[in-house]
Amino acid sequence: MTTATARAYPNIALVKYWGKQDEDLILPVAGSLSLTLDAFPTTTTVALDAATGTDTGTDTGIDTFSLNGAVATADATGRVTRFLDRVRELAGSETRATVTSTNEAPTGAGLASSASGFAALATAAAAAYGLDLDRRDLSRLARRGSGSASRSLVDGLAVWHAGDDAHSYAEAVAGPDMRMVIVTVDTAQKAVSSRAAMRRTALTSPFFPAWISSTEESLAAMLEACAADDFTRVGRITESHALRMHAVIQSCDPPIRYLAPTSVAVFDAVAALREQGLEAYSTADAGPNVAVIVRPEQAEDLRDALAGFGSVRLVGAGDGARLIDAGATAAAEARPGAGA
Ligand code: 2P0
């Protein structure tokens, strides 16, 4: 048995990804920019079982996937299998895998568990199947599982480029040092998945073409602001871009609204804090939780100020996906008869 274990962290976009130009390859309509966090990791082990390979004639065609100690749903397992099929294609392998994953964030609540999930899975699966991929190619591979996962391969601030398959990957960008306060307003599973909502937005929103061009402009401005180490400009772009994303989502048919009344109250509270000299800016993903960026020296004050709106967690910039255990192949091979 060959196993590999990887750990990856979620990321929160400051310039959002919302819409695909190619659903199969997961190529975005525009680039995006995010901060990989140092909290809420996903840890994933991929174990290949030689006994189920087709060379033994016993291939059942089924990977197994467990999430947080329970057998995952057929949908989730199917998504993992489709991803592993891509890895097997690259590796020239037909060996099935057992995937075991633990998530420290509530799955499906808008805390980007698919980003950390597919970043960890790509990293562990590439190692288990013996692929020798650099970080750029791991980012491209993770993208095939979930677009935002491409960014969780990168430490700290990451830009994910739009483009064709070869050019659509994430890489690091330098920018201002910042912290983020995550305000968890609700941990329930969202009613409409990001994937379905993105598709509906692209198909039905009259504003979608403007969303694409405005995201391109926001990303160009954000890259300039990062290069200039300009926290204020980064923050202003972050907040207005997030509200534009929610506007285009709300404009689809039938409409989708991810922000809850409490989410809007957090945006208002942060705007009021800015008036008082606590400089912070809000964003929110496809759910009601709000992430607020702040300068490091004001981070604890912000956390304390927002504690009344839900559970609050102060986080910083974290590492891109890493292998934490590079496999038991050597040990298994050294012990004849061991393993499968
Ligand atoms: C983002 N989100 O940039 C945006 C903002 C949510 C809101 O990326 O279909 O789970 O798997 O590529 O990556 C969520 O979308 O979607 C997302 P798929 P994904 O973070």
Side-chain angles (χ1 to χ4, degrees), residues 11-13 15-18 20 26 32 79 114-115 143 145-149 151 160 194-195 198 245 284-286:
N11 65 76
I12 300 283
V15 174
K16 305 295 191 187
Y17 150 54
W18 197 259
K20 298 176 179 69
I26 310 198
S32 55
R79 204 166 155 191
S114 75
R143 191 198 78 218
S146 192
S148 54
R151 301 184 308 231
W160 170 24
S194 296
R195 188 163 286 192
M198 250 181 230
M245 181 188 76
D285 285 334

Side-chain angles (χ1 to χ4, degrees), residues 23-323:
E23 295 211 345
D24 184 38
L25 295 173
I26 310 198
L27 300 174
V29 291
S32 55
L33 185 140
S34 63
L35 181 71
T36 299
L37 308 184
D38 61 0
F40 310 123
T42 298
T43 306
T44 296
T45 299
V46 174
L48 309 192
D49 187 349
T52 60
T54 47
D55 47 346
T56 67
T58 57
D59 182 21
T60 58
I62 298 170
D63 300 296
T64 58
F65 175 39
S66 72
L67 182 59
N68 293 336
V71 175
T73 61
D75 276 2
T77 304
R79 204 166 155 191
V80 165
T81 282
R82 281 193 297 283
F83 182 80
L84 291 178
D85 284 346
R86 171 70 188 144
V87 176
R88 285 187 278 258
E89 186 186 329
L90 291 169
S93 168
E94 296 185 3
T95 306
R96 297 284 145 182
T98 298
V99 178
T100 312
S101 199
T102 53
N103 241 336
E104 289 181 31
T107 299
L111 284 172
S113 54
S114 75
S116 55
F118 280 101
L121 180 62
T123 305
Y129 282 93
L131 294 175
D132 185 19
L133 302 183
D134 62 16
R135 200 148 278 273
R136 178 175 295 195
D137 283 339
L138 281 172
S139 172
R140 290 176 55 233
L141 177 62
R143 191 198 78 218
R144 300 288 286 267
S146 192
S148 54
S150 64
R151 301 184 308 231
S152 280
L153 264 295
V154 176
D155 300 350
L157 290 171
V159 59
W160 170 24
H161 302 290
D164 62 12
D165 177 39
H167 298 96
S168 186
Y169 55 84
E171 62 184 337
V173 291
D177 192 15
M178 65 182 93
R179 301 288 182 270
M180 197 177 262
V181 174
I182 311 277
V183 186
T184 303
V185 167
D186 185 354
T187 58
Q189 194 92 5
K190 57 195 165 210
V192 186
S193 72
S194 296
R195 188 163 286 192
M198 250 181 230
R199 188 177 297 136
R200 191 187 300 174
T201 309
L203 290 174
T204 69
S205 171
F207 307 145
F208 193 64
W211 160 253
I212 297 171
S213 55
S214 106
T215 302
E216 289 165 348
E217 286 161 18
S218 294
L219 181 60
M222 180 63 90
L223 289 169
E224 278 179 25
C226 285
D229 206 28
D230 185 342
F231 176 76
T232 297
R233 192 159 175 225
V234 165
R236 286 185 181 151
I237 297 166
T238 296
E239 193 167 295
S240 68
H241 187 77
L243 291 171
R244 284 180 186 178
M245 181 188 76
H246 287 279
V248 78
I249 293 170
Q250 290 180 33
S251 72
C252 69
D253 180 21
I256 298 165
R257 184 169 58 83
Y258 284 121
L259 297 178
T262 308
S263 324
V264 177
V266 174
F267 274 72
D268 285 351
V270 168
L273 288 167
R274 277 202 299 273
E275 296 295 313
Q276 297 161 26
L278 205 174
E279 195 184 3
Y281 300 90
S282 304
T283 186
D285 285 334
N289 302 318
V290 183
V292 188
I293 58 169
V294 62
R295 295 178 197 271
E297 58 273 21
Q298 293 190 304
E300 291 179 1
D301 288 347
L302 179 71
R303 179 194 57 200
D304 295 346
L306 297 178
F309 292 100
S311 72
V312 287
R313 175 84 179 256
L314 175 55
V315 302
D319 291 337
R322 294 274 191 284
L323 274 180

